[in-house]
Amino acid sequence: MERWVGKIVVVTGASAGIGAAIVKDLVSNGMNVVGVARRVERVQELESSLSGAKGKLYPLKGDITKEEDVEKIFDWIHQKLGTLHVLVNNAGLARNVPMTGGADNAAMRLIFETNVFGLFMCTNAALNLMKKTGKWVYFLIFGPLKPLKWKEESDHTTSVEKLRLGAKCIAGHNVVHFTGGCMYGASKHAVRVMTEGLRRELAEENSQIRVTSVSPGFVRTEILEACGRKDLEELLATAPILDAKEIARAVTYALSVPTNVQFLVRSYGTVGGENRRGDRSQFWDRSCDSQGFGFQWNECGGRGQKSGESAAVIPSIPRLFELESSLSGAKGKLYPLKGDVTKEEDVKKIFDYVRQEFGVVHVLVNNAGLSRRVPMTGGADNAAMRLIFETNVFGLFMCTNAAMDLMKETGVNDGHIIHINSIAGHKIIPLTGGCIYGASKHAVTVMTDGLRRELAEANSKIRVTSVSPGLVRTELLEASGRKDLQEFIAKGAPILDDKDISRSVIYALSVPPNVQIHDIMVKPVGERL
């Protein structure tokens, strides 16, 4: 650690638990640490206890969920300290947020605003400062050791996933087996994808920055009390558990490896039912765009073998009226409905309309989604990052919860929830600026499995299906601004038609009542993504 003496490091969430332990370790090793926390008085107390250490602690008040606070934090560092060498994204929180209705939308948002948005904004701000001051960063990823080209002045950014939900069950790598815990896990899966996306983007720039993701199991911190998980507190009374100091040592070790090594650590732990299904449904509530496979699905639903009714929800209504006219002779009926799934008040109005007009909902297809090019390596658009998650994750969560509430209210125990996911929700697609979209879809994968598990625990016959397409010919690509993908397709890359996806939805609905289709992955023949 000698080469780090006197270097500048930022640690978020520095007031307690893992953050405080990391601060102590780094200051003791001679680093100058900016400890960021909302409860800055606790960091100030920590500063007093470290008065004789080799390094120095600078307590700094800030809330990383607020863009203006993040800007002030890194402006202060630039003005007072001149530069930055290491960023430790430690701030995080957990809340009990079930997928099966009655959930607190504000708690769901706060999890992502802290664990994902805050991490993204701090990482971007740190990289902007390092580029401005001519410094390079080390980012480390947990796993095997990889050689890295040596550079005289290397810095380092470490991304720490904070809550541990079970020995040997890491929430960013596995689906957590606790009702109400999947939204935390979804946020940490998003962090894992963002970490790997950042590493790849830096490699494309031939950067010497290293990236590490530290993923602990159960850790003795205050976060469990704050999340209100009494079941976990009782489990921890007898379960193997880590001390925060162990995680701090992992961070210090990641910094201490030779400059030609990138340390990739996957996890850090202690030693030591089938789902029920329901029948096909009669009323289909549909969150969708007015084009793409949302459009085609309504055609299939209207013209399929089973008669039924479908409410299609879009932010712009004229195209759905056109679709309604084209389906005038179909067995079922389409009800166009204007709504924005990113707005809580719109989601409430949508399901109030369904309740008043039909009295019940049997099927929900969460198709609304968008993509934008959002690089991790500085200069990114925070608003675009937020919009991706607000649409692909928050909208899906709110619609699912509202549908589940209505199903429970009307005694529907054999409905069907279908999430239109993506292959980007199952692997990391090597496209610069694409990892935020992939992170949102990995979150959807976790939420889908979490919902299925929660329903199984409740002995519900409601079925849950994820449909994950590869490249599809829709307007989504044009709207995303991905010229590289548009050129890739123009050169003859294999691509799916939106009807291929709508047929998958109809198939999932059409199987016998004793069958649940968990996941459908649809790719064009010859796809190489």
Side-chain angles (χ1 to χ4, degrees):
M1 288 293 289
E2 285 302 312
R3 72 178 184 276
W4 294 109
V5 172
K7 301 293 186 181
I8 310 300
V9 52
V10 172
V11 179
T12 65
S15 62
I18 293 171
I22 292 171
V23 167
K24 289 177 185 176
D25 229 25
L26 297 182
V27 171
S28 298
N29 278 283
M31 296 192 75
N32 294 324
V33 179
V34 179
V36 177
R38 290 172 300 166
R39 299 175 296 179
V40 71
E41 64 281 355
R42 297 183 67 169
V43 186
Q44 291 166 343
E45 292 172 11
L46 185 57
E47 178 189 22
S48 300
S49 70
L50 293 169
S51 58
K54 288 172 67 177
K56 180 171 174 56
L57 172 59
Y58 297 87
L60 193 60
K61 185 170 184 176
D63 182 346
I64 63 161
T65 69
K66 298 177 179 177
E67 193 168 346
E68 60 274 20
D69 277 24
V70 173
E71 187 177 338
K72 287 177 183 176
I73 289 164
F74 288 90
D75 281 349
W76 184 92
I77 293 167
H78 190 203
Q79 293 166 13
K80 300 292 183 182
L81 304 175
T83 190
L84 176 65
H85 301 92
V86 178
L87 168 67
V88 183
N89 281 308
N90 166 71
L93 58 79
R95 293 289 185 271
N96 182 21
V97 183
M99 286 285 296
T100 49
D104 182 352
N105 291 332
M108 174 273 297
R109 288 179 178 274
L110 186 58
I111 289 172
F112 275 86
E113 286 171 356
T114 306
N115 301 356
V116 178
F117 298 0
L119 179 145
F120 176 87
M121 292 189 293
C122 287
T123 299
N124 249 265
L127 281 164
N128 286 336
L129 178 55
M130 289 162 181
K131 289 177 179 178
K132 186 186 295 184
T133 57
K135 295 293 183 180
W136 292 95
V137 196
Y138 265 156
F139 283 82
L140 300 150
I141 305 175
F142 278 48
L145 295 175
K146 288 189 176 181
L148 188 73
K149 290 182 180 179
W150 184 78
K151 186 174 179 69
E152 178 69 29
E153 184 103 24
S154 290
D155 300 337
H156 195 124
T157 299
T158 301
S159 172
V160 178
E161 296 186 8
K162 193 160 190 283
L163 178 65
R164 350 292 129 234
L165 292 173
K168 300 182 183 179
C169 179
I170 312 304
H173 302 268
N174 303 293
V175 178
V176 178
H177 301 277
F178 291 105
T179 297
C182 78
M183 293 309 298
Y184 173 81
S187 74
K188 291 303 184 180
H189 273 71
V191 168
R192 179 171 60 84
V193 177
M194 292 163 67
T195 304
E196 177 61 12
L198 174 60
R199 186 190 67 78
R200 293 184 185 206
E201 289 181 18
L202 290 168
E204 287 179 8
E205 295 179 1
N206 294 316
S207 172
Q208 304 306 301
I209 293 172
R210 298 191 289 184
V211 187
T212 299
S213 175
V214 183
S215 301
F218 270 131
V219 182
R220 187 178 288 106
T221 71
E222 296 175 9
I223 196 168
L224 285 177
E225 294 176 23
C227 79
R229 295 300 310 236
K230 297 297 182 184
D231 51 347
L232 290 184
E233 291 180 43
E234 292 171 3
L235 177 61
L236 285 180
T238 56
I241 189 167
L242 293 164
D243 190 274
K245 293 177 182 177
E246 303 297 336
I247 315 308
R249 290 190 190 105
V251 172
T252 302
Y253 176 62
L255 285 166
S256 69
V257 297
T259 54
N260 68 323
V261 174
Q262 181 164 228
F263 191 56
L264 312 176
V265 181
R266 294 299 295 247
S267 59
Y268 206 82
T270 52
V271 178
E274 287 296 323
N275 288 359
R276 298 295 185 85
R277 312 88 21 224
D279 294 317
R280 288 167 293 180
S281 307
Q282 294 178 341
F283 179 78
W284 303 341
D285 188 7
R286 170 99 190 110
S287 62
C288 68
D289 290 326
S290 52
Q291 68 274 337
F293 34 87
F295 191 95
Q296 292 297 336
W297 186 88
N298 278 291
E299 288 191 318
C300 290
R303 293 172 180 162
Q305 295 178 352
K306 183 181 174 74
S307 61
E309 295 176 311
S310 174
V313 180
I314 61 167
S316 180
I317 202 89
R319 296 178 68 171
L320 263 189
F321 281 128
E322 293 174 13
L323 178 58
E324 181 188 23
S325 298
S326 72
L327 292 171
S328 58
K331 291 182 180 180
K333 181 171 172 56
L334 173 61
Y335 295 82
L337 189 61
K338 185 173 182 177
D340 183 344
V341 299
T342 70
K343 297 177 179 178
E344 192 168 347
E345 60 273 20
D346 276 23
V347 173
K348 185 177 184 303
K349 287 177 183 176
I350 289 162
F351 285 90
D352 282 348
Y353 168 84
V354 173
R355 181 181 287 104
Q356 293 163 13
E357 187 73 21
F358 308 102
V360 70
V361 64
H362 299 91
V363 177
L364 168 68
V365 183
N366 282 307
N367 168 69
L370 57 77
S371 176
R372 295 288 185 272
R373 188 181 186 278
V374 183
M376 286 286 296
T377 48
D381 182 352
N382 291 333
M385 175 272 298
R386 288 179 179 274
L387 185 59
I388 289 171
F389 277 94
E390 285 171 357
T391 306
N392 301 356
V393 177
F394 297 1
L396 180 145
F397 176 87
M398 292 189 293
C399 287
T400 300
N401 249 264
M404 290 299 308
D405 284 340
L406 182 53
M407 287 180 184
K408 288 179 180 178
E409 182 183 314
T410 55
V412 173
N413 192 38
D414 59 352
H416 205 139
I417 308 289
I418 299 176
H419 296 159
I420 305 300
N421 199 343
S422 167
I423 59 165
H426 301 272
K427 65 178 184 177
I428 297 172
I429 307 296
L431 290 172
T432 299
C435 75
I436 296 299
Y437 174 78
S440 74
K441 290 302 185 178
H442 271 72
V444 169
T445 299
V446 178
M447 292 162 67
T448 304
D449 198 39
L451 173 60
R452 192 181 291 127
R453 290 171 189 252
E454 289 182 17
L455 289 167
E457 287 179 11
N459 293 316
S460 173
K461 293 182 179 180
I462 294 171
R463 298 186 286 186
V464 183
T465 299
S466 171
V467 179
S468 299
L471 277 176
V472 184
R473 186 178 286 103
T474 71
E475 296 176 12
L476 181 71
L477 284 178
E478 293 177 26
S480 72
R482 297 290 326 208
K483 299 296 184 184
D484 50 350
L485 275 181
Q486 291 173 36
E487 291 170 4
F488 179 60
I489 292 166
K491 290 177 181 177
I495 189 166
L496 295 164
D497 190 85
D498 45 24
K499 291 179 182 177
D500 299 318
I501 313 308
S502 61
R503 290 188 193 105
S504 299
V505 172
I506 298 299
Y507 167 68
L509 288 166
S510 68
V511 297
N514 65 323
V515 175
Q516 176 169 239
I517 304 297
H518 278 218
D519 299 282
I520 301 175
M521 192 172 289
V522 188
K523 291 186 179 185
V525 174
E527 182 183 272
R528 296 182 180 182
L529 285 181

